[in-house]
Amino acid sequence: MKAGVRSKRGIILSITLLAALIVPGCTQNKTVKVGIDPNDRPFTFVDGGEKKGFEVDLWQALAKKSKLTYELVPIEMGEMSKALKDGNIDVAIAGKTVLNAKSNDLEYSDPYLKTNLVMLAAAENATMKGKEDLAQKIVATENGSTGFYYASAIPGVKIHSFSNITDAYNELVSHTADAVIVDERNAQDYIKNAGQGKVKIVGDPFNKDNLAIVAKKKNKHLGKISEALQSVSKDGTYEELYTKWFGGKPTMMPSKIKKEMEYDQQHEA
């Protein structure tokens, strides 16, 4: 009897240990849902059903390094933060700027790009010369974007916000808006393509920001993603992807962007 009892206990113990080993493995292989903006060229966009862009290619490289199984989920920018907080997506790589993590429910990976905003006006507009001319004007922008929040803080400005930036550009071209505030690289892409000869950048770039992958607090993937970002920066992958989508070599690598961001955060008033 005692031997039988010991045998049964041994079997139960073995099953328990096996289950303990299997469950973590299953958790690690769980598909990570990744939010992307479907209309933010050249960062992320959907063309003929295919997901493309700098951030798409960068994520694929990071996921490969981190051994993550993932699904890219197109979501309008204005709904991205809510989708994260509601658990509909796990992370987002969608032109999201690093904010003060203490002031919201989100946290960020190491930054992967330094960027800034620009202001666009109609090509024939001779009166709009920069953001100082925006008082009492109509500004079109993408809801939930950095441009939206920047424009919303300008006294006297009327905001026309849209779920995608294309509608904001259309407002400008049709003269129902006086300006568009948007990320510089997105503006340059539009000017080279659909907006050629129709719009122009006025004034100097402003509001420099750092882009990072964002998730809810205590996300288990961000640490590995940040490590992977430094790895692809060192092996040449980052430079290759940057050159592919932006037409030239990066002026600043992620490691330096991180150091500058940390310095700025430490010296904030």
Side-chain angles (χ1 to χ4, degrees):
M1 285 293 293
K2 291 183 179 180
V5 170
R6 284 198 297 268
S7 178
K8 288 179 180 179
R9 286 178 179 174
I11 292 172
I12 292 171
L13 179 61
S14 298
I15 292 173
T16 303
L17 291 172
L18 182 60
L21 291 171
I22 291 174
V23 171
C26 293
T27 302
Q28 289 176 357
N29 292 328
K30 180 182 176 182
T31 298
V32 178
K33 292 186 177 181
V34 184
I36 63 170
D37 189 330
N39 192 30
D40 188 24
R41 301 173 64 99
F43 294 103
T44 55
F45 59 99
V46 179
D47 182 16
E50 184 179 357
K51 302 171 183 70
K52 299 179 179 180
F54 170 73
E55 290 174 329
V56 171
D57 285 356
L58 179 60
W59 172 261
Q60 290 172 343
L62 298 179
K64 183 177 180 180
K65 289 281 186 181
S66 304
K67 296 181 173 56
L68 294 176
T69 302
Y70 64 90
E71 174 190 357
L72 297 176
V73 183
I75 300 176
E76 302 292 354
M77 178 64 78
E79 300 297 319
M80 198 71 70
S81 293
K82 185 177 186 301
L84 282 166
K85 292 175 182 179
D86 290 348
N88 295 325
I89 55 175
D90 300 298
V91 300
I93 180 166
K96 301 295 285 184
T97 56
V98 179
L99 303 174
N100 184 351
K102 294 181 181 179
S103 66
N104 56 56
D105 298 323
L106 304 174
E107 64 178 331
Y108 304 85
S109 70
D110 288 350
Y112 57 82
L113 194 71
K114 184 174 283 293
T115 187
N116 42 249
L117 299 174
V118 293
M119 189 177 101
L120 276 71
E124 67 275 16
N125 190 325
T127 60
M128 299 290 288
K129 301 184 183 298
K131 62 182 187 295
E132 62 276 2
D133 298 319
L134 286 175
Q136 310 306 317
K137 296 295 193 297
I138 297 174
V139 175
T141 187
E142 183 178 26
N143 187 35
S145 67
T146 306
F148 169 81
Y149 293 114
Y150 185 92
S152 299
I154 302 174
V157 168
K158 184 175 182 180
I159 307 296
H160 286 187
S161 64
F162 300 92
S163 60
N164 67 76
I165 193 63
T166 299
D167 290 336
Y169 287 138
N170 290 339
E171 278 245 321
L172 182 60
V173 173
S174 64
H175 304 292
T176 48
D178 300 295
V180 166
I181 293 180
V182 67
D183 180 272
E184 183 178 16
R185 291 178 177 86
N186 183 273
Q188 290 172 341
D189 184 271
Y190 179 72
I191 289 172
K192 290 178 183 178
N193 295 287
Q196 188 171 29
K198 301 175 183 178
V199 301
K200 61 184 177 182
I201 293 176
V202 294
D204 296 323
F206 53 93
N207 199 60
K208 291 184 178 180
D209 278 306
N210 302 298
L211 302 187
I213 296 166
V214 61
K216 287 176 68 174
K217 286 187 182 298
K218 299 181 180 179
N219 181 280
K220 64 182 180 181
H221 302 300
L222 285 186
K224 289 194 293 185
I225 290 170
S226 291
E227 291 177 3
L229 177 60
Q230 300 309 318
S231 179
V232 300
S233 298
K234 293 175 182 178
D235 68 14
T237 301
Y238 179 89
E239 183 175 321
E240 179 184 343
L241 297 179
Y242 186 102
T243 303
K244 171 185 174 181
W245 288 105
F246 302 131
K249 292 185 177 182
T251 56
M252 192 178 297
M253 298 297 285
S255 58
K256 187 175 182 181
I257 296 172
K258 179 183 178 182
K259 288 180 181 178
E260 287 200 356
M261 183 184 73
E262 291 174 342
Y263 178 87
D264 290 341
Q265 290 173 339
Q266 290 170 2
H267 292 79
E268 284 179 351

